[in-house]
């Protein structure tokens, strides 16, 4: 028989059947694994998937494995009864042969037609992912399902779904499965999906089907690379926000109070908008939906921060109360800083240095010095503002990067307070002051990007954000 290359490939691939009771999230899991919202039908109702459907997972261009979505098992008791009848007729049959005979005996429109489709696919697959909705009590019917599936003599990996905020139920399920001698289970929340959970899933399959070890490793490596790139582009985006805000100046033309207020207002608006754009980009990079945001308890609604960066109390929420060592001598609120001659008034000693300026300093700050003579001064975001901005994005990034994990620490994620892991780069103050003195760095340019001082600041920001700092 002539076999085409394509079908040869399909058969050489590892076949994974995704099985379980109806409405446990089988199709959702496959969509997550495929990174596609196009696959199958998803509904909060029983019997959504009616047929077995195949999808192939690739690492780049290379096909790695086939996932088979199956209809949910609905009547485990009737199925068990039927199988018992078959095995009673011929006691020498293996359990898998009993299943084969059951599949062959079911005709179209049989009440167990749905179950027969599942069992047929189970028999043709190498590994079974058994999806469990942990919110459900451990009913007899689920245990019967597991018992029936184990008759196929295929490795079964139980996957706990809906784990977010259901730690107790999860423990009960674990205990019950241990009684079946099933210990190697996985936790996976298809809504609050984490890359680590997915990696563990592939590693578990790897340990069960040696033959496909290398191919699965390729997939793990590929996905890890894609994930790292995602995290890196997010960290770069945040570094870009910090740079663009730190380098920004609002000019204050005269001494009149009104102008100061207008400039301050303009500056605050600039910062808010810059943070807003960054938020949108970050949510897009990680493909976060409103549902994900709610699940991760991120204080964002309709794509907007719920708490204004300049609101009173924000400083405290981020552990930056005035008493903190980091803020000794700094003003109490987030806000603005007055700059003269290109230097923040806060950097008094540096400012003093400018008074006795030499030619090289004049070349560098000439424009600012001239402006100062003409009475121009600038407002820029103060260090408190930049600190909150940084810490808030750092916290957001960690939630975006650890989808699902937060579900284990519900008590810790209910607040907007910065956690112990959020920290500033070690030489934060000098970095900020360098940025403030280089307004030309606000926008990307070859000169900026090749400047070693700029590069060092960007790298430091990124490394701290990714926890490598
Ligand atoms: N919160 C939460 N909802 C989920 C999760 N996984 C699936 N859902 C929801 O659960 C419902 C059922 O999901 P499906 O993927 O259709 O379930 P299924 O097992 O394929 O269902 P059938 O095909 O009918 O057997 C949908 O409303 C999903 O949005 C999850 O991890 N967390
Ligand atoms: Mg389905």
């Amino acid at each position: 028989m002539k076999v085409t290359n394509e079908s040869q490939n399909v058969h050489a691939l590892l076949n994974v059947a995704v099985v379980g009771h109806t409405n446990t999230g089988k199709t959702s899991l496959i969509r997550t694994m495929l990174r596609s919202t196009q696959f199958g039908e998803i509904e909060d109702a029983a019997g959504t998937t009616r047929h077995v459907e195949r999808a192939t997972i690739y690492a780049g261009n290379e096909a790695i494995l086939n996932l088979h979505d199956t209809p949910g098992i609905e009547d485990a008791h009737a199925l068990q009864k039927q199988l018992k009848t078959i095995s009673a007729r011929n006691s020498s049959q293996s359990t898998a042969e009993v299943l084969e005979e059951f599949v062959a005996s079911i005709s179209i429109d049989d009440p167990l037609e749905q179950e027969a489709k599942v069992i047929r696919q189970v028999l043709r697959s190498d590994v079974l992912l058994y999806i469990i909705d942990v919110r459900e009590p451990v009913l007899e019917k689920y245990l019967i399902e597991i018992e029936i599936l184990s008759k196929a003599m295929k490795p079964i990996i139980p996957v706990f779904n809906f784990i977010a905020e259901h730690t107790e139920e999860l423990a009960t399920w674990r205990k019950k499965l241990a009684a079946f001698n099933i210990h190697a289970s996985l936790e996976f929340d298809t809504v609050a999906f984490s890359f680590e959970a997915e990696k563990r899933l592939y590693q578990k399959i790897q340990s069960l089907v040696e033959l496909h070890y290398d191919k699965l490793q390729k997939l793990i490596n590929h996905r890890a690379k894609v994930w790292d790139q995602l995290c890196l582009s997010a960290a770069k985006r945040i570094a870009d926000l910090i740079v663009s805000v730190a380098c920004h100046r609002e000019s204050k033309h005269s001494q009149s109070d009104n102008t100061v207020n207008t400039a301050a207002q303009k500056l605050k608006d600039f910062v808010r908008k810059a943070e807003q754009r960054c938020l949108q980009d970050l949510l897009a990079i990680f493909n976060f939906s409103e549902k994900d945001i709610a699940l991760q308890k991120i204080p964002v609604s309709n794509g907007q921060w719920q708490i204004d960066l300049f609101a009173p109390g924000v400083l405290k929420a981020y552990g930056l109360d005035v008493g903190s060592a980091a803020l000794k001598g700094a003003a109490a609120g987030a806000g603005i800083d007055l700059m003269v001659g290109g230097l923040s008034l806060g950097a008094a000693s540096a400012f003093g240095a400018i008074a006795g300026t030499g030619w090289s300093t004049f070349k560098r700050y000439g424009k600012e010095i001239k402006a100062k003579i003409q009475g121009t001064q600038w407002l820029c975001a103060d260090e408190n503002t930049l600190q909150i901005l940084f810490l808030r994005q750092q916290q957001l990034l960690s939630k975006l990067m650890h989808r699902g994990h937060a579900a284990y620490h519900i008590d810790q994620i209910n607040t907007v307070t910065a956690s112990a892991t959020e920290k500033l780069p070690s030489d934060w103050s000098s970095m900020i002051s360098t940025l403030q003195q280089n307004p030309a760095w606000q926008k990307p340019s070859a000169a900026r990007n090749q400047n070693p001082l700029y590069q060092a600041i960007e790298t430091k920001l990124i490394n701290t954000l990714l926890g490598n700092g």
Side-chain angles (χ1 to χ4, degrees), residues 22-28 43-45 47-49 72 161-162 189-190:
T22 189
N23 209 32
T24 51
K26 298 179 289 300
T27 309
S28 303
E43 241 175 83
D44 194 7
T48 307
T49 303
N161 196 13
F162 295 94
D189 204 293
T190 53

Side-chain angles (χ1 to χ4, degrees), residues 73-269:
I73 299 173
E74 283 174 19
D75 197 345
H77 284 102
L79 179 59
Q80 187 190 38
K81 203 165 151 220
Q82 186 96 343
L83 294 173
K84 273 189 179 152
T85 314
I86 295 172
S87 66
R89 281 202 300 263
N90 183 352
S91 58
S92 66
Q93 271 181 323
S94 72
T95 53
E97 282 165 346
V98 172
L99 293 182
E100 294 279 7
E101 192 178 326
F102 160 72
V103 168
S105 73
I106 297 296
S107 54
I108 299 171
D109 292 337
D110 188 292
L112 288 175
E113 188 198 1
Q114 197 93 317
E115 282 75 7
K117 286 179 186 168
V118 183
I119 302 296
R120 187 178 296 116
Q121 187 54 53
V122 163
L123 290 165
R124 288 178 191 160
S125 300
D126 305 299
V127 181
L128 315 180
L129 297 183
Y130 180 73
I131 317 304
I132 295 165
D133 176 353
V134 298
R135 300 169 306 176
E136 284 281 297
V138 191
L139 300 173
E140 195 196 8
K141 63 179 178 184
Y142 301 127
L143 302 177
I144 294 175
E145 276 172 19
I146 299 173
E147 197 194 320
I148 293 172
L149 293 170
S150 66
K151 288 182 196 296
M153 309 299 280
K154 305 287 168 99
I156 301 177
I157 304 176
V159 178
F160 296 120
N161 196 13
F162 295 94
I163 55 164
E165 302 183 19
H166 292 92
T167 328
E168 258 176 55
E169 293 91 332
L170 184 61
T172 314
W173 268 102
R174 277 192 186 290
K175 249 193 232 152
K176 279 282 175 188
L177 288 181
F180 269 82
N181 216 10
I182 299 179
H183 300 278
S185 55
L186 280 158
E187 290 154 32
F188 212 107
D189 204 293
T190 53
V191 172
F193 152 74
S194 92
F195 171 68
E196 274 307 310
E198 187 186 38
K199 191 165 126 191
R200 279 198 297 276
L201 171 61
Y202 290 124
Q203 285 170 337
K204 207 133 272 178
I205 301 177
Q206 234 177 356
S207 70
L208 292 170
V209 277
E210 280 282 317
L211 192 63
H212 296 268
Y213 190 96
D214 292 344
K215 274 208 140 195
L216 286 164
Q217 194 56 45
K218 260 191 205 165
L219 178 61
I220 293 170
N221 295 347
H222 173 78
R223 293 245 156 137
K225 204 168 121 197
V226 171
W227 178 252
D228 287 348
Q229 281 164 353
L230 214 67
C231 296
L232 182 62
S233 44
K236 274 194 168 153
R237 180 62 188 87
I238 296 174
D240 187 53
L241 167 73
I242 301 301
V243 169
S244 71
V245 171
C247 293
H248 183 76
R249 291 172 177 194
E250 227 28 92
S251 64
K252 163 188 167 293
H253 291 292
S254 78
Q255 300 298 330
S256 101
D257 262 7
N258 250 353
T259 323
V260 178
N261 285 340
T262 320
Q265 214 44 56
K266 270 170 80 181
L267 178 65
K268 284 185 178 182
D269 277 351

